[in-house]
Amino acid sequence: MRVRELVEGFNLKPIAGEQGLDREVKGGYCGDLLSDVMAKAPVGCIWLTVQGHLNIVAVAVLREMAAIVITGGREPDVETVQKASQEQLPVLTWPHSSFELAGRLYALGVGAAPTP
Amino acid sequence: MASLKKFFFIKARDFVHAGEASIHIQSLLKSMHWDPVLIRRVAICSYEGEMNVVIHGGDGVLNLSIENDRLIIEIIDDGPGIQDISLAMQPGYSTASDEAREMGFGAGMGLPNMKKNADDIQIESEPGIRTRASMTFLLESPKETP
Ligand SMILES: Nc1ncnc2c1ncn2[C@@H]1O[C@H](COP(=O)(O)OP(=O)(O)OP(=O)(O)O)[C@@H](O)[C@H]1O
Ligand SMILES: [Mg+2]
């Protein structure tokens, strides 16, 4: 599954890194504590978080993530958008809770894949 | 295996450039075609060490060296230091500010994650003067997949 298909299927709003929309999504993770995400998020995952500040980009790059979704109606900071664009990392927004989106993604089969 | 040395400056409280040294090291190791699992372990350790300097430490430097069968990441900062290292190593222990916690730091998992992912870790600190964390990765020693 590609990031683009999830964007279209769930009406996620791309804010940055549209160049990366064809990345493959290999799993999912929800987390707002960065050291937890850094240690446990599956490689190639789509990451659901309420954090919108710049430091989420480094975590996503280092974990080789497919995309970040900022949930709960929050918006990324301007610096986050700039940095994510440089890294061609899709940053998307979703107006409802991480729980609601995670449930839908899981039902679609995202997140059932084991960590490589 | 050729030897290689590189260093990166890390500035305390500079959240804008935080993580860049680790991203640089990750791409370097990828270009050298290292084992992906090893690269991930190194990335976790360098990132957590780098963020600890940004959040808790003073200005510092990260030294990367690759020699023969090992990669070493040494991070030194001229900051407040750590009073009780074994306490700091405990999962969940954190002195992060409210501001850092709001950003999602301060779970007290950085040092435990570093310990788990490095083959060896040495942390030394002179309170009020400096902190040094040195992590060694052996090139042929599969640890648990992060
Ligand atoms: N370079 C440093 N200088 C001073 N104190 C440090 C340094 N590194 C770690 N510490 C101390 O050790 C504690 C534990 O560090 P650790 O990385 O495990 O957790 P944290 O940074 O507080 O939270 P997290 O890493 O989960 O975001 C810190 O809260 C801080 O008190
Ligand atoms: Mg830490």
Side-chain angles (χ1 to χ4, degrees), chain B residues 124-137:
Chain B
E124 296 153 20
S125 185
E126 292 171 64
I129 301 177
R130 55 169 223 155
T131 303
R132 172 179 176 272
S134 174
M135 292 166 282
T136 303
F137 302 83

Side-chain angles (χ1 to χ4, degrees), chain A residues 70-89:
Chain A
I70 300 173
T71 62
R74 291 174 178 80
E75 295 288 332
D77 296 350
V78 188
E79 299 84 13
T80 310
V81 173
Q82 286 166 354
K83 187 98 164 187
S85 306
Q86 278 169 25
E87 299 286 350
Q88 312 202 346
L89 170 76

Side-chain angles (χ1 to χ4, degrees), chain B residues 48 52 56 110:
Chain B
E48 294 295 354
N52 277 353
H56 312 288

Side-chain angles (χ1 to χ4, degrees), chain B residues 80-139:
Chain B
I82 304 176
Q83 287 287 348
D84 183 340
I85 292 173
S86 62
L87 181 62
M89 294 295 293
Q90 283 180 20
Y93 177 82
S94 176
T95 60
S97 65
D98 288 347
E99 191 195 357
R101 282 174 204 265
E102 267 166 37
M103 294 173 76
F105 299 108
M109 289 312 299
L111 291 173
N113 286 344
M114 285 154 69
K115 182 172 180 181
K116 189 167 155 203
N117 284 284
D119 288 304
D120 181 58
I121 182 166
Q122 304 287 338
I123 296 176
E124 296 153 20
S125 185
E126 292 171 64
I129 301 177
R130 55 169 223 155
T131 303
R132 172 179 176 272
S134 174
M135 292 166 282
T136 303
F137 302 83
L138 302 176
L139 298 189

Side-chain angles (χ1 to χ4, degrees), chain B residues 67-84:
Chain B
E67 295 158 26
N68 305 317
D69 63 338
R70 61 194 58 207
L71 179 152
I72 298 170
I73 288 184
E74 180 191 50
I75 303 174
I76 302 173
D77 73 270
D78 300 325
I82 304 176
Q83 287 287 348
D84 183 340

